[in-house]
Amino acid sequence: MPSRKKTKGKARRAAKETKAKKEEDSQAVVAAANQRQQERPLEVEVQRLLVSPFAPNKCQHGVAHISSSDEEICIEFINAFITAYSSFSGSAECFILATESTMVKFADVYSSKLEIVVSILLNGGTQMILDGDNHNLARLNATMACHFEEWMEVEVKESKAIFSWTKMYELRDADIHTLVSYYRKRIPCACLEEKYKAEKSVKKMGLCYNPNCSLSERKAERSKMFCCTRCGDVNYCSVECQKDDWKGHRQFCDVIAAKKAAFNSDKQS
């Protein structure tokens, strides 16, 4: 028969374990709530991107000569794409899914009006930066503009083999130097010159493709990163990260390299 001391000891240990379990559950609830709060602003920000007709009293950053009919259909398309993107924002394939959901209704936009769409997005993102608005909105605008630029090159002009997804996702979390540079290179006006001068000292950061990278947010100075020489599509912060990710990247590397080889062969024939 167990002694009274042992019985009390077991009771105390059980009480401690119960308390620890409650604290652990409580922390999990708080963490989940914090995660929901962090996710909610992104959905709100995406909805804030919904485009309106242009204000006549501001520089249009390259879209001043769009016809009213083209402006109307392209703004309708952008808003439909933003709504679809927002509904799929929890998926890694949100851009692909948003494209598929808008393809049928806006087939004419995809085939002949994406340059207008890009110019509208560049206009909006440039103005967000100039107005000192939330830069996350400008990043989302830039990412969508980049997506449509990639679509034109791959699907319309057939000037490259595959989408540069790495470039798009780096824009989604771009540093201010990279963000301003992206817009500055694409608008015909000089509206971002002063902003560029103010931000050009900021180091441009890239995203390490290794999901197990130990760096904060997997970001490293872009000029010091290593590119996969076989596919040329992903970057790493170090040789060690590149080696660590090889098993996971290899299958995609094979597909990308094969597509690029076939594309180059077709162009040469």
Side-chain angles (χ1 to χ4, degrees):
M1 182 175 179
S3 68
R4 190 174 298 176
K5 277 188 176 182
K6 286 185 177 179
T7 303
K8 288 183 177 180
K10 287 182 180 179
R12 282 196 297 269
R13 284 196 296 273
K16 285 182 180 179
E17 289 173 0
T18 301
K19 183 180 180 182
K21 183 65 170 61
K22 286 182 178 180
E23 289 178 353
E24 185 179 328
D25 292 342
S26 177
Q27 289 172 357
V29 170
V30 171
N34 289 339
Q35 180 65 25
R36 287 194 296 271
Q37 288 177 351
Q38 290 171 0
E39 290 172 353
R40 221 174 275 130
L42 176 59
E43 296 176 0
V44 173
E45 286 175 359
V46 172
Q47 288 302 314
R48 282 182 60 198
L49 282 175
L50 296 178
V51 180
S52 302
F54 305 118
N57 60 331
K58 291 184 177 180
C59 175
Q60 299 305 312
H61 314 302
V63 293
H65 302 298
I66 294 176
S67 68
S68 58
S69 58
D70 281 344
E71 178 184 333
E72 182 178 353
I73 188 64
C74 287
I75 288 178
E76 182 185 353
F77 163 72
I78 292 171
N79 289 338
F81 190 93
I82 290 170
T83 301
Y85 173 88
S86 178
S87 66
F88 297 124
S89 61
S91 169
E93 299 178 340
C94 53
F95 279 99
I96 296 174
L97 295 171
T99 299
E100 290 175 350
S101 69
T102 53
M103 178 64 70
V104 174
K105 182 176 180 180
F106 298 99
D108 183 47
V109 175
Y110 277 103
S111 64
S112 62
K113 291 181 170 55
L114 283 183
E115 287 186 357
I116 298 174
V117 169
V118 170
S119 69
I120 293 173
L121 290 169
L122 294 177
N123 167 280
T126 298
Q127 199 58 51
M128 289 171 194
I129 292 173
L130 292 173
D131 292 343
D133 203 346
N134 189 333
H135 286 160
N136 281 336
L137 296 178
R139 290 183 180 96
L140 284 167
N141 245 32
T143 307
M144 285 192 291
C146 183
H147 171 71
F148 296 128
E149 287 175 336
E150 293 291 311
W151 178 275
M152 284 190 287
E153 289 190 47
V154 175
E155 302 292 344
V156 181
K157 300 176 183 177
E158 298 183 347
S159 59
K160 62 185 293 186
I162 61 169
F163 280 62
S164 179
W165 296 105
T166 299
K167 180 180 177 181
M168 288 172 51
Y169 290 126
E170 283 188 347
L171 275 173
R172 175 61 186 85
D173 296 303
D175 56 86
I176 189 63
H177 185 179
T178 298
L179 184 66
V180 174
S181 293
Y182 175 82
Y183 284 106
R184 175 176 171 265
K185 290 176 181 177
R186 288 164 173 78
I187 59 174
C189 56
C191 291
L192 286 176
E193 290 303 313
E194 290 302 316
K195 184 65 174 175
Y196 175 74
K197 290 176 183 177
E199 305 294 353
K200 66 180 182 179
S201 62
V202 175
K203 291 180 179 179
K204 289 186 175 183
M205 306 297 285
L207 182 67
C208 180
Y209 195 74
N210 180 12
N212 299 317
C213 177
S214 61
L215 293 178
S216 175
E217 299 181 327
R218 293 162 47 199
K219 289 183 178 180
E221 192 174 344
R222 193 179 303 159
S223 62
K224 297 179 180 179
M225 296 188 79
F226 297 83
C227 179
C228 177
T229 55
R230 188 161 183 264
C231 69
D233 198 57
V234 298
N235 301 313
Y236 296 95
C237 67
S238 65
V239 173
E240 290 73 22
C241 260
Q242 187 171 8
K243 289 180 179 179
D244 183 63
D245 188 53
W246 176 239
K247 286 185 179 179
H249 173 57
R250 183 171 186 172
Q251 58 179 322
F252 301 106
C253 189
D254 289 341
V255 172
I256 294 169
K259 284 186 176 181
K260 287 186 174 181
F263 177 83
N264 292 332
S265 178
D266 289 343
K267 287 295 182 182
Q268 291 173 2
S269 61

